[in-house]
Amino acid sequence: MAQASAATIYVLNGPNLNMLGTREPEKYGHASLANVEKLCAETAAQFGLKVDCRQSNREGELIDFIHDAHAKKAVGIIINAGGYSHTSIALHDALVAVKIPTVEVHISNIHARESFRHHSFTAMAAFASLCGFGIDGYRLAISGLAAKLGVKAKT
C-alpha cells in the first residue's frame, strides 16, 4: 500500500447530489454537497488519508472518474451513484475493472423506498454498502475503508 500520507480516496457523487440541502430535505436532510465534502476531508485526515471529491450528473463522466482513480493509484473509492446505482451496469463494470476497494453510500434508506431502488448494481461491485445514515454514511464509509486498508486513526 502507498504511504498513508500520500494515499487518496476518491469520493464520487452522482446525479442530483449537487442539489443536496435543497432537494427533498425530508429525505436527504439540509446538508449541502460542500458539507459532505468537508466531512469526508476531515474524516480522511484522521487516518492520514486525502480525498478527491467529484460530482457529476453524467454517467460517462462518473466512469471517467473511476478510471482516473485507477490511473492515479487511489487506495479506495466511496461512491454514491444516486439513481445510477439502480440502472448502470456500466458503472458496475468500471468499478469491477479497476479493482479498487469500494464502499457504496446512500443518504436515504433505499430499502425503505420504492421497489426499483432495492437493487443496486454498484453495491454488487463494492465490498460494503451503507444506506440510511444521512451524510454520516460517508464518515462511516471512510472509517470502514480505512479499516479494510489497515490504516489506523492518527492520535
Side-chain angles (χ1 to χ4, degrees), residues 43-127:
T43 304
Q46 294 172 4
F47 296 96
L49 300 167
K50 295 179 183 175
V51 291
D52 185 334
C53 297
R54 301 179 185 197
Q55 187 276 331
S56 180
N57 293 319
R58 292 175 300 286
E59 181 181 29
E61 190 169 25
L62 290 166
I63 292 167
D64 289 342
F65 293 161
I66 293 166
H67 294 175
D68 190 58
H70 181 262
K72 301 273 176 58
K73 300 189 182 332
V75 297
I77 295 173
I78 307 295
I79 188 166
N80 181 344
Y84 288 140
S85 301
H86 318 294
T87 64
S88 181
I89 295 167
L91 277 173
H92 166 276
D93 290 351
L95 290 167
V96 169
V98 299
K99 296 183 172 95
I100 298 171
T102 299
V103 180
E104 178 192 56
V105 173
H106 289 284
I107 294 168
S108 67
N109 181 352
I110 61 173
H111 302 289
R113 297 184 61 193
E114 305 92 339
S115 62
F116 65 83
R117 296 186 194 276
H118 297 178
H119 177 78
S120 171
F121 289 105
T122 50
M124 295 170 61
F127 77 85

Side-chain angles (χ1 to χ4, degrees), residues 4-13 33-54 74-78 138-139 141-143 145:
S5 61
T8 301
I9 297 169
Y10 273 47
V11 179
L12 306 179
N13 284 290
L33 185 58
N35 298 137
V36 168
E37 292 175 350
K38 182 175 187 270
L39 173 67
C40 290
E42 290 170 350
T43 304
Q46 294 172 4
F47 296 96
L49 300 167
K50 295 179 183 175
V51 291
D52 185 334
C53 297
R54 301 179 185 197
V75 297
I77 295 173
I78 307 295
Y138 290 88
R139 182 186 61 76
I142 291 170
S143 296
L145 184 55

